[in-house]
Amino acid sequence: MRDMVMMELLFYHKIEISELLRIKVSDYDREKGILTIRRKRGEDFSLRLFSQELQRKIGLWLEERKAFTRSGEYEDWMFLSKLGRPLSMEMFIQIFDKYRKLAGIEKKLTPKDLKENGMKQYARELMMERCQ
């Protein structure tokens, strides 16, 4: 579920990977469906998640992540590895690459490539459709 939530936030809500990796559980207001995104320069903004399905998936991920959570310094990070540490950029790229291959995209791409070229809508739909 973690991977699906990350891909939806990345492609449908246009969050940068670095922003995605900085999200903490406390940044998500479940009641209001609002996610606070931390920008590099301290310009935080609130993102209203209109998709009930995405909110449901986040709820499921929050339940799943309990199995990965270790008490200590990383407890509040939203996206954890199986070792209970926040995902790194390298780990995220490996996850993205797995879904790129599952979606049948042969060309070696990064999430940034998909966001910046003319394939935006196609890439979003393809990744979401094939990887569910």
Side-chain angles (χ1 to χ4, degrees), residues 51-123:
S51 166
Q52 295 294 322
E53 182 62 16
L54 178 55
Q55 290 180 44
R56 185 185 73 77
K57 288 177 184 176
I58 291 174
L60 290 172
W61 164 242
L62 291 174
E63 287 302 312
E64 282 180 29
R65 77 179 279 289
K66 289 177 183 176
F68 305 111
T69 305
R70 310 283 183 266
S71 62
E73 123 183 57
Y74 305 123
E75 268 182 282
D76 195 32
W77 291 89
M78 177 70 82
F79 301 112
L80 300 173
S81 71
K82 291 178 182 177
L83 299 175
R85 295 186 177 147
L87 289 181
S88 66
M89 182 66 75
E90 184 177 313
M91 285 187 253
F92 179 83
I93 296 298
Q94 289 173 0
I95 291 166
F96 175 82
D97 215 34
K98 175 179 101 174
Y99 287 103
R100 175 190 61 80
K101 291 173 186 172
L102 284 172
I105 301 172
E106 299 293 326
K107 185 178 177 187
K108 182 83 170 150
L109 297 171
T110 67
K112 192 169 186 171
D113 294 330
L114 292 179
K115 288 171 78 172
E116 289 179 350
N117 69 28
M119 296 175 47
K120 285 181 188 178
Q121 189 61 34
Y122 173 73

